[in-house]
Amino acid sequence: MSGAGLHAIFDVAAWGAACAAIWWLSRVRGLQFPRQSFELPYVAALVFGAGIGAYIFGTLNLWFSGMPGIARSVEGALAGGIVAIELYKWLHGITIRTGARFALPLAVGVAIGRIGCYLAGLDDFTYGTPTTLPWGHDFGDGALRHPVQLYESIAMAAFAVFYVLMVLNRNAAVITNGFYLALFYYGLQRFFWEFLKPYGTLIGPFSLFHLLSLFVVAYAAVMLATAPSASLKHERAAA
């Protein structure tokens, strides 16, 4: 099977795993999330913003790296979704935090989806720079490269395990602020992996995705710093 075909399979698997994570959270006794996060207009705004962000930032990174074409980016989707939902909430006067249910879906979705990026090879343009480390992978050009897709996959899988353990232990702080924690962790680990990718730079050694990672981290940090105190009787929060 071609790399593109394998990528598509893992994209579907990532969405399936994200949906399964939402279903599992709905079955955990005592967990409640804001109803707004399942309302159709809210979901439509999220999907629209994420889709626009994915293609805008993915394509811009491709162009800044001196390559033609159209591309998608999961981090671009996150940034677009954040902006779209914050605008939606502002326009509709929604003041509560509405993203808590998406922490686990985000983590498992990225963990599985990045495996597809790894299997897609050079065409996906998510591979790393050359390395002499023993786990360097030849994506088809004869050079051993950092399998940064797997680095990210392992990192997000670790967060997913951590989050599940916190849910099972009824850790209200993590449950309430889970989405921001997931965003902060994602942006931080992604920032460091970007140094191992052959992308064009914009400011000094920083690529577009370095800057986007800093935006995600800064947004999450502000929201975590201003989060209300969590308690077991109040498990209705997040992004």
Side-chain angles (χ1 to χ4, degrees), residues 8-62:
I9 289 174
F10 275 88
D11 280 347
V12 173
W15 280 104
C19 290
I22 291 176
W23 176 85
W24 179 75
L25 288 171
S26 72
R27 306 292 294 177
V28 178
R29 181 178 301 175
L31 287 190
Q32 292 183 320
F33 299 105
R35 59 176 177 77
Q36 286 89 345
S37 58
F38 264 4
E39 292 178 349
L40 186 57
Y42 178 100
V43 173
L46 176 60
V47 171
F48 178 78
I52 293 295
Y55 279 99
I56 287 178
F57 289 106
T59 300
L60 285 176
N61 181 65
L62 203 62

Side-chain angles (χ1 to χ4, degrees), residues 22 27 34 57 71 91 100 105 148 186 195 229:
I22 291 176
R27 306 292 294 177
F57 289 106
L91 289 172
V148 285
Y186 176 83
F195 287 110
S229 299

Side-chain angles (χ1 to χ4, degrees), residues 56-79:
I56 287 178
F57 289 106
T59 300
L60 285 176
N61 181 65
L62 203 62
W63 294 352
F64 290 148
S65 300
M67 301 177 67
I70 304 296
R72 293 174 295 148
S73 161
V74 65
E75 189 164 43
L78 281 177

Side-chain angles (χ1 to χ4, degrees), residues 120 151 211 213 236:
Y151 297 170
L211 303 180
S213 296
R236 296 179 55 86

Side-chain angles (χ1 to χ4, degrees), residues 59 88 98 120 146 208 230:
T59 300
Y88 175 86
T98 56
H146 284 285
L208 174 64

